[in-house]
Amino acid sequence: MKRTVWRQVGTASVATAFLVGGMATATPAVAAGNYSCGKWKQTVNSWSASCTIKSGQARAVTDCSNGKTIYGAWTGRGTWRFGGNCGKYFIVAQDTQGRG
C-alpha cells in the first residue's frame, strides 16, 4: 500500500474534492482548525493539495475503492503537500481533517 506524501510547498484556499460519476469536482469546504488548502490535483488513483496550517494540526484522508481509508500523519504549523494514493484502486473520496 502506498503512503500519503507530505512535503513543504505554497499556500491557497480551502477546498474538498469528490469523485462524482467518474469525474472529480472541487467544492469549497469549511476547515476545522486554522488551516487552508488549495492547488488540488487528482488522477483516478491519487491526489494532492497544498495546505497551510496556521495553528493546530491537519492531515490528509483518502477513501479507496477497495474499502480502505488512508490517513496521513498529523502535521503542525507550516505549508505542506497533502495527498493520497490508492495504488491500483480508484479514489472514492478525499479530504483533510483539522484539530486544535
Side-chain angles (χ1 to χ4, degrees):
M1 172 172 52
K2 304 269 182 168
R3 293 182 347 163
T4 301
V5 178
W6 301 84
R7 88 179 174 227
Q8 288 191 292
V9 294
T11 65
S13 63
V14 178
T16 304
F18 297 96
L19 191 63
V20 180
M23 296 185 65
T25 59
T27 56
V30 176
N34 192 6
Y35 73 99
S36 61
C37 299
K39 298 183 182 177
W40 292 77
K41 296 179 182 177
Q42 182 175 352
T43 66
V44 175
N45 64 345
S46 66
W47 70 277
S48 66
S50 175
C51 299
T52 298
I53 304 167
K54 294 180 181 174
S55 66
Q57 295 180 317
R59 69 179 177 180
V61 181
T62 307
D63 292 326
C64 302
S65 62
N66 63 347
K68 291 188 179 186
T69 300
I70 301 167
Y71 295 95
W74 288 104
T75 57
R77 292 176 58 145
T79 302
W80 304 92
R81 170 73 61 190
F82 282 24
N85 189 322
C86 292
K88 65 180 180 178
Y89 300 97
F90 63 86
I91 293 175
V92 175
Q94 65 196 43
D95 203 357
T96 58
Q97 291 179 332
R99 67 181 181 189

